[in-house]
Amino acid sequence: MERIFNFSAGPAILPAEVLQQARDEMLDWHGSGMSVMEMSHRGKEFMSIAAKVEADLRELAGIPDNYKVLFLSGGASSQFAMVPMNLLRGKKSADYVNTGEWSKKAIKEAKKYCAVNIAASSEDANFSYAPAQDKWVLDPAAAYVHYTPNETIGGVEFNWVPDLNSMVPLVADMSSSILSRPLDVTRFGLIYAGAQKNMGPAGLTIVIVREDLLGATMSGTPTMFDYKIHADNDSMYNTPPTYAMYIMGLVLEWLKRNGGLAVMEKVNIAKTGLLYDLFDTTDFYHCPVARSDRSRMNVPFTLKDAALDGAFLQQAQARGLIQLKGHRSVGGMRASIYNAMPIEGVAALLQFMREFASDHA
Ligand SMILES: *Cc1c(COP(=O)(O)O)cnc(C)c1O
């Protein structure tokens, strides 16, 4: 069996051990005689899987008891609407920081429900940096402040957590950076993330929300968009994405076996560092992101001569290095290097990039 190195931004690489375990348990989970896919979400087998996923996530991410963890579907994109519907709580405006494509989508959706104040934006420099907090202009009447800690497409990451020094909840779309480094949940009112980048398969969305923010949902909000309904029903108001939760559970066990988030952070710094060091020592490759705000998950870069893009991608693919094409909105290349990408994969990419550069010098 030959596994390629998959640099896809999402759905993305999963640890081989996790897939092997899922394979071994496919037809008969723990002597139940069933696949997890076939289980009732209210049966004792699946209830035990769900409880373990939540407990392991709470342990790994240090989620305090006064936060609810919700297992939803609808993708991070549904959260673009659910956040204002649930967190405006009678207020009429919200602050958004605009650092790229995902911020823009969140802003566009929020504008359906409230006035959006763009507290800061890096659009002036083609979304190549994270605006420093002393440049943010907050609306004193805003219900919450929303930002995107890691812009998956632009490869811009906040390497610091905004300090709002106030009662206004901080909301973060952590779809592509959750579990990549230690997390202080208490700094946030709400964190959301699609699972398919760094936690598991597509179809599952995680919401971590401070309890006191629940219960003042905008009137007219669909039942399925009300956090309180999901919280009161332990994410089983309707059928949750059971198999995706099970796989996420295996990923969390893998993370625990491998030292948790502090170790992941070190490894992620080392992995992306290999590429960033290369950019700093050659002018064949260029990374458009400000040095201090370079993502540890998604590394965008361009070749000196865009006419070589096709050959680069083709030769990379021939070596088992796939999904390196940049997002259609920005072009160039992008290597997504989530927790599950082994350092051997990044080393193989680095070796290829060095050779390609010297062949075309
Ligand atoms: C992928 C992504 C999304 C969209 O996620 P879906 O699950 O496809 O809705 C939103 N925000 C960020 C930061 C992402 O990386």
Side-chain angles (χ1 to χ4, degrees), residues 9-10 74-78 80 102-103 148 150-153 173-176 192-197 203-205 338:
S77 300
S78 293
F80 297 161
W102 291 114
S103 300
T148 309
N150 183 62
E151 283 281 358
T152 321
I153 293 172
D173 173 2
M174 285 197 193
S175 293
S176 53
Y192 64 90
Q196 73 272 25
K197 273 67 184 243
L204 170 62
T205 309
Y338 297 116

Side-chain angles (χ1 to χ4, degrees), residues 159-232:
N159 284 300
W160 43 278
V161 176
D163 186 357
L164 298 180
N165 194 22
S166 76
M167 302 303 285
V168 181
L170 180 64
V171 177
D173 173 2
M174 285 197 193
S175 293
S176 53
S177 54
I178 192 163
L179 306 184
S180 67
R181 58 169 79 201
L183 181 62
D184 180 359
V185 173
T186 64
R187 304 282 294 275
F188 300 88
L190 186 146
I191 292 166
Y192 64 90
Q196 73 272 25
K197 273 67 184 243
N198 208 24
M199 292 190 289
L204 170 62
T205 309
I206 301 300
V207 173
I208 301 167
V209 56
R210 217 175 61 215
E211 248 165 18
D212 61 281
L213 300 174
L214 300 175
T217 308
M218 187 179 274
S219 77
T221 296
T223 306
M224 282 294 291
F225 271 43
D226 186 338
Y227 292 136
K228 182 87 165 41
I229 298 282
H230 292 291
D232 288 348

Side-chain angles (χ1 to χ4, degrees), residues 227-242:
Y227 292 136
K228 182 87 165 41
I229 298 282
H230 292 291
D232 288 348
N233 290 279
D234 290 329
S235 303
M236 301 237 184
Y237 173 78
N238 75 319
T239 317
T242 51

